Each structure stands twice: as C-alpha cells, then as structure tokens.
C-alpha cells in the first residue's frame, strides 16, 4: 500500500509538514503562528508603503528562507536572484549601498522584536 499524503519541509525549522495548507504556505502551523506574532510586533518605521507591501508579500509567498540563526535567503522581486539578508544588511543593490531594503524588513517581520538584537 502506498501513501498518498504529500510532505515537504518547513522553511523556518526544517521539520516535515504534511498538511496541504502548511505545504502551500511553506511553514508548519507553529512556525506560521510565530511569524504572524513576530510580524505584529515588528516596526515598519523608516520604510515606504511600497517596501512594507513587498516585504509582506515576500513573507506570505515563502520567498524568505532561514539560512542560519538571523540570516535569511531572500528572493528578488523578479525571482532571478537570491540575497543573503539580516535585519540590518542585505546583498541586494540597495543593501550594498547601505540603504534599507524590503528584504531587511521581511527579515524583521519574521524575527519580530528579536530582529535588531542580533
């Protein structure tokens, strides 16, 4: 007998997820709840409305994946590049120039109040 249950790995913790809803969002139920709570506490001060929208979309579309403790891989808007990003630095063009980018905000949304402590 073969199993018809699909599975994938959570992009936050790496655990196996089997729920269709969890697979669709890329995060398990617990990790998705943690990200929602973190996003609610993160400040968007200093970012434009367009950057806030792009950061939220990046998180919702699972375009941000934890690489190490506070380092994430983030996907560019057009999906052709991947950047290493923390809450305060990014390897995208804006980040290299020392400007705040929406990738950094996406990390802050995932980490919440812990984003700038690292």
């Amino acid at each position: 007998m073969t199993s018809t249950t699909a599975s994938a790995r959570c992009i936050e913790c790496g655990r196996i997820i089997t729920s269709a809803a969890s697979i669709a969002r890329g995060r398990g139920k617990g990790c998705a709840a943690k990200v929602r709570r973190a996003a609610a506490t993160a400040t968007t001060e200093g970012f434009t409305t367009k950057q806030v929208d792009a950061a939220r979309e990046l998180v919702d579309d699972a375009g941000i994946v934890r690489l190490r403790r506070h380092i994430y891989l983030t996907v560019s808007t057009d999906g052709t590049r991947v950047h290493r990003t923390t809450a305060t630095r990014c390897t995208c063009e804006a980040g290299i120039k020392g400007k705040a980018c929406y990738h950094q905000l996406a990390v802050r949304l995932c980490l919440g109040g812990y984003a700038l402590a690292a």
Side-chain angles (χ1 to χ4, degrees), residues 12 15 25 27-44 56 59-60 66 72 105-115:
E12 285 296 319
R15 291 182 180 160
R25 75 176 158 255
R27 290 180 177 83
K29 184 178 179 181
C31 288
K34 286 179 187 177
V35 169
R36 279 193 306 275
R37 283 191 306 270
T41 63
T43 179
T44 58
R56 288 189 175 137
V59 173
D60 290 345
R66 185 186 302 267
Y72 284 76
L105 180 56
V107 170
R108 293 178 190 192
L109 293 176
C110 285
L111 295 175
Y114 302 102

Side-chain angles (χ1 to χ4, degrees), residues 25 38 40 45 49 51 91 106 109 114 118:
R25 75 176 158 255
E45 186 178 325
T49 303
Q51 287 175 314
T91 60
L109 293 176
Y114 302 102

Side-chain angles (χ1 to χ4, degrees), residues 76-98:
S76 64
T77 305
D78 62 7
T80 61
R81 294 177 307 277
V82 175
H83 309 291
R84 287 180 186 238
T85 310
T86 68
T88 57
R89 302 213 189 270
C90 185
T91 60
C92 73
E93 287 183 38
I96 290 171
K97 293 177 183 175

